Structure formats: structure tokens, C-alpha cells
Amino acid sequence: MTTLQKGDKAPNFSGKDQDGNIHTLADYKGQKLVVFFYPKADTPGCTAEACDLRDNFERFKANNYALLGVSADSAKAQSKFKTKYEFPFPLLADEDKSVIEAFGVWGPKKFMGREYDGIHRTTFIINEEGVIDEVISDVKTKAHAAQILK
């Protein structure tokens, strides 16, 4: 599914967050960037994952990490999600799926015997030089920060 691997240059993405601000890979040069893709705002698994990252945000900051959440939800849905759970990091509203497709996390999924296309829950850890240090495809939603901050 995900074609990007450790050692690959991260895609030079550009996307709008919940407030309409543009975020690009270049904005994060000089710090580590965690880009986490999740299927849908304010659903149980996505909420558990984002809240775990929120609860460990100071640890991320102390280790020079920035966090960026991405889903295909609208800016309005992302804004409500961010406000409801007081996330200290931006959430990209990637409705045209340009960032999602650049990272290769859109594709066929199965749920309760049904096949459909959707976002595969995947996290990319990008180093200060814009190179992918790690790809986490087996995301533990309730303990995701521990997977990243080993």
C-alpha cells in the first residue's frame, strides 16, 4: 500500500489546515515532523490516537518534533475535532487527497466484509533534512506516542 519507505525523501506536500493556513514540508526544515494520517475526525480510533499524541505533546516538543494530522475531512470538521479535544497541533483538511496520495496512504480497505477505498492509518516520521526516518503502518491508537518516542 504505502510505497514510501525509510530513507526516502518525504513528498514536498502543501495542504491547508483547519483554519485555512498552508503547511508545506519546507515549513518544518530543521525539526522532526510526525505526519499522521487518520481515516475520519472524531471517530473512536482516530480520537484515541490524536488524544494520545496530545497528551504527550510536551515530550514531542522537548525532542524537537512538530506534529501534523491529516485526513480527507473538511476544514469545518477538522476545526470542530481540534477544538473539541484541544489539540495543540494543526489538522490538514485534505479534501482533494493531494497530501494523502503523495504519501501513498489511500487505497482499498476491508471493514466488516465490505471493500472500499479509504485512508490507511499510517504515520511518517520525517527528520530535519526532510528524509523519512520511519513509517508506522501498525498504529496502536491508544499508545501511539510510545511508538514514535522510543
Side-chain angles (χ1 to χ4, degrees), residues 38-133:
Y38 56 94
K40 190 156 180 51
D42 215 0
T43 54
C46 299
T47 300
E49 177 183 7
C51 286
D52 180 57
L53 297 175
R54 174 202 64 202
D55 295 346
N56 288 280
F57 188 67
E58 289 306 316
R59 286 176 59 210
F60 282 107
K61 270 180 37 185
N63 287 289
N64 196 32
Y65 282 95
L67 278 73
L68 200 53
V70 186
S71 76
D73 291 296
S74 68
K76 184 177 179 187
Q78 295 290 47
S79 183
K80 283 171 74 173
F81 188 39
K82 183 177 176 8
T83 302
K84 181 176 179 180
Y85 295 100
E86 299 177 352
F87 298 135
F89 42 80
L91 302 174
L92 295 190
D94 193 25
E95 292 182 272
D96 68 359
K97 301 179 189 68
S98 62
V99 179
I100 292 162
E101 287 173 353
F103 278 86
V105 296
W106 182 263
K109 296 174 75 167
K110 263 194 177 146
F111 183 68
M112 295 174 77
R114 206 185 83 196
E115 266 197 50
Y116 61 97
D117 281 346
I119 296 172
H120 289 253
R121 186 186 310 277
T122 310
T123 297
F124 295 84
I125 302 167
I126 302 167
N127 70 20
E128 295 87 343
E129 303 306 313
V131 174
I132 296 170
D133 271 351

